[in-house]
Amino acid sequence: MSLYLEIPELNQQFPYRFLLNDGMTIVYPHWHKEIELIYASRGKVNIGIGQTVVALEEGEMIFFASGEPHYFLASPDSERYVYQFDLKLFDESSLRKNEENLITLFEQGERHSRYWPPEFSETIKNLLVELYDLEITQPMGENYLILSCLYRLIGEFYQSLPRKMEQVKVTPTAVHRKETLERLNQVFDYIETRYQEAITVDEVAKFVGFSPYYFTRFFKKNTGQTFIQFLTEYRVNQAKFILSNEKLPMAEVAEQAGFSSVKTFHHVFKEAVGQSPLQYQKKMTE
């Protein structure tokens, strides 16, 4: 089975999401830049890490640092809570004092709660359950409360997360994967800051130091999409966010989402979403 980069559909303004998966939701080997935490809320969850399968017992937790490959096997009669978030949620430049950076915290920390101190494990479990409750109840101020839980979680990790008992040897494959992720992050950052402009493959390739031909192959191999497909999907997601939260003329929505014209925006959006931007807006604001 090949290993692929997963690009979770996170809100760019608030890069966090929660998933509730049953045991028959199989996920193939993948990796992503986001941190992922899993809580086995019911039954035993079978998770693949390299050539090893870890049986996450009911009530146990595990996390994966940025770029760490993992996958989910069939786990009948089980249920898992999955939390994914981008570290850019936390402004390290102003928050971090003498602590190690967040990437190192997750890379060197013991990922499996089976090896955590009981009190620390219980604290983290309570925070994850609280995040689940927020997803279900969706109270006023939900995102502030979510962020509060995530900040508390990070603080608890800094205070009590034990180091891995054995530091994993860095292999050439791991180094290559990290270099690939860093290069892709350059591309993602470029898109995030310039998606409202006209962007060409040649410009992005030059930005990351590749020829257009090599960049095209590199991006498709590691994301499963062409660069133009990814850029278009990104702009559509931006438009969906604007349509769900603001009452603006369609011409302004198209411009803010990075489309060259209202006509192009309408055509691309309807093809991607299955309904016109106006229909989508009405559905989301009813």
Side-chain angles (χ1 to χ4, degrees):
M1 241 181 283
S2 59
L3 185 68
Y4 69 95
L5 172 71
E6 179 187 74
I7 305 175
E9 294 183 8
L10 303 184
N11 179 335
Q12 295 302 316
Q13 283 73 30
F14 192 76
Y16 160 86
R17 74 169 178 175
F18 168 85
L19 301 168
L20 176 59
N21 291 337
D22 64 35
M24 298 315 290
T25 302
I26 299 171
V27 181
Y28 295 107
H30 68 285
W31 52 285
H32 41 73
K33 69 173 183 175
E34 294 75 17
I35 304 300
E36 180 165 302
L37 288 97
I38 298 99
Y39 168 54
S41 56
R42 177 168 58 83
K44 182 186 298 184
V45 178
N46 297 312
I47 304 175
I49 307 171
Q51 302 301 313
T52 305
V53 174
V54 173
L56 198 66
E57 300 290 344
E58 184 171 319
E60 288 187 335
M61 296 152 285
I62 198 168
F63 69 78
F64 294 98
S66 178
E68 288 188 334
H70 54 283
Y71 54 98
F72 293 90
L73 301 167
S75 308
D77 302 317
S78 73
E79 186 177 73
R80 61 184 181 266
Y81 299 170
V82 180
Y83 309 81
Q84 294 176 333
F85 56 87
D86 195 315
L87 290 178
K88 69 181 181 182
L89 268 172
F90 312 98
D91 185 2
E92 289 194 76
S93 62
S94 61
L95 293 170
R96 187 157 54 86
K97 294 182 178 179
N98 301 317
E99 302 92 346
E100 61 194 355
N101 64 49
L102 284 171
I103 290 176
T104 302
L105 173 68
F106 283 101
E107 284 182 347
Q108 297 186 2
E110 173 53 59
R111 64 161 65 97
H112 194 160
S113 66
R114 188 175 300 171
Y115 308 109
W116 297 352
E119 186 176 346
F120 169 63
S121 182
E122 188 66 23
T123 298
I124 298 302
K125 184 191 301 182
N126 290 338
L127 285 171
L128 296 183
V129 171
E130 187 174 340
L131 283 166
Y132 167 75
D133 290 341
L134 290 171
E135 184 73 21
I136 299 303
T137 58
Q138 297 185 339
M140 293 294 288
E142 178 186 0
N143 282 353
Y144 293 99
L145 295 169
I146 288 172
L147 201 54
S148 169
C149 285
L150 292 176
Y151 270 81
R152 284 160 56 200
L153 186 145
I154 295 296
E156 294 292 341
F157 274 7
Y158 268 126
Q159 288 190 58
S160 306
L161 180 66
R163 296 280 175 147
K164 290 176 182 173
M165 290 182 286
E166 292 183 12
Q167 291 298 322
V168 178
K169 184 180 179 182
V170 178
T171 65
T173 301
V175 171
H176 175 71
R177 189 168 58 247
K178 188 169 185 178
E179 289 174 348
T180 298
L181 183 58
E182 288 172 352
R183 199 65 68 120
L184 285 169
N185 275 337
Q186 285 183 282
V187 178
F188 300 151
D189 289 342
Y190 188 94
I191 291 172
E192 285 179 20
T193 55
R194 305 195 184 190
Y195 69 90
Q196 294 175 321
E197 306 170 14
I199 300 177
T200 68
V201 171
D202 287 6
E203 289 171 346
V204 182
K206 183 178 180 180
F207 177 76
V208 295
F210 289 158
S211 71
Y213 174 74
Y214 183 81
F215 171 73
T216 299
R217 294 184 62 198
F218 167 82
F219 195 86
K220 179 68 181 291
K221 176 184 177 183
N222 287 288
T223 67
Q225 294 177 291
T226 67
F227 175 75
I228 297 302
Q229 286 172 331
F230 180 85
L231 177 60
T232 300
E233 185 178 289
Y234 186 92
R235 285 170 169 162
V236 167
N237 286 334
Q238 291 298 313
K240 287 163 81 173
F241 178 81
I242 296 168
L243 291 167
S244 301
N245 293 279
E246 300 183 54
K247 283 281 189 181
L248 297 174
M250 287 302 150
E252 197 167 337
V253 176
E255 183 180 355
Q256 287 193 19
F259 290 93
S260 57
S261 69
V262 176
K263 185 178 179 181
T264 300
F265 169 51
H266 186 278
H267 172 74
V268 171
F269 190 94
K270 188 169 185 179
E271 189 174 84
V273 182
Q275 53 190 172
S276 71
L278 187 58
Q279 289 172 328
Y280 180 85
Q281 186 180 55
K282 286 180 178 178
K283 176 185 173 183
M284 297 304 294
T285 55
E286 282 178 353

